[in-house]
Amino acid sequence: MRTRARPRVLRFAPVCALALAAALAGCSAGHDATPGSTPSRSPSALNSPSPHTTSPAELCTHLITYWAKQELDEGQGSGLDYQEKGLSDGQNEILLTTLAAARKERAAHGAAAGDRLIEQQAQQGCAERYRNGSPTTDPWAQTKQPTPSGSP
């Protein structure tokens, strides 16, 4: 059986949509003035906190949930490797573990139960992965004492 290949543009649509949404969110401030006028901002508006920033764990959870549901709904997978999905190796491990559990849950209890398990496992896996900050940084760097010069 021959399957149709997806156009390359559609493969990257979810990643592009996320990037576009992030860019537009940053550009939306101060555009409520009439055309040709200079937007005025009060001093309190300049010192107000910024809008919610998506944490690495939240972004990971969103990506894992999205790709797990895509993988299960399409049946044969998307045909993309983890890098094309915008995932790191560690995030891909969470995805694979989540998919295995969700397949069993869907077979035993239906699609809705599988989707709930995806959301739960993605959230737990990503929270664990990012509990001490970015996994590529050294979480103990602030607690290490400098060694005197000449010491091993």
Side-chain angles (χ1 to χ4, degrees), residues 112-150:
D115 287 349
R116 284 191 300 273
L117 185 79
I118 288 171
E119 291 170 12
Q120 178 187 20
Q121 287 212 341
Q123 190 172 28
Q124 287 175 348
C126 292
E128 176 68 21
R129 179 165 172 76
Y130 292 97
R131 75 179 184 279
N132 292 325
S134 174
T136 58
T137 61
D138 183 359
W140 303 107
Q142 295 177 359
T143 61
K144 290 181 182 175
Q145 299 296 320
T147 58
S149 60

Side-chain angles (χ1 to χ4, degrees), residues 32-56:
D32 49 344
T34 58
S37 68
T38 304
S40 63
R41 295 184 184 182
S42 67
S44 63
L46 294 175
N47 294 327
S48 65
S50 63
H52 173 74
T53 306
T54 304
S55 73

Side-chain angles (χ1 to χ4, degrees), residues 4-142:
R4 267 184 32 186
R6 271 199 216 168
R8 187 167 276 283
V9 173
L10 293 179
R11 289 182 177 181
F12 297 105
V15 176
C16 292
L18 284 173
L20 180 60
L24 291 176
C27 295
S28 64
H31 289 286
D32 49 344
T34 58
S37 68
T38 304
S40 63
R41 295 184 184 182
S42 67
S44 63
L46 294 175
N47 294 327
S48 65
S50 63
H52 173 74
T53 306
T54 304
S55 73
E58 290 171 324
L59 180 58
C60 171
T61 300
H62 176 75
L63 287 169
I64 300 302
T65 301
Y66 174 82
W67 286 114
K69 289 180 181 178
Q70 288 292 313
E71 191 85 14
L72 291 177
D73 291 342
E74 290 185 14
Q76 298 177 1
S78 63
L80 302 175
D81 69 18
Y82 72 96
Q83 291 174 331
E84 291 174 309
K85 294 175 183 175
L87 302 174
S88 68
D89 184 50
Q91 290 168 337
N92 191 51
E93 289 297 321
I94 297 168
L95 174 63
L96 295 175
T97 302
T98 300
L99 277 170
R103 283 187 178 107
K104 289 179 184 177
E105 187 71 13
R106 277 187 168 198
H109 302 288
D115 287 349
R116 284 191 300 273
L117 185 79
I118 288 171
E119 291 170 12
Q120 178 187 20
Q121 287 212 341
Q123 190 172 28
Q124 287 175 348
C126 292
E128 176 68 21
R129 179 165 172 76
Y130 292 97
R131 75 179 184 279
N132 292 325
S134 174
T136 58
T137 61
D138 183 359
W140 303 107
Q142 295 177 359

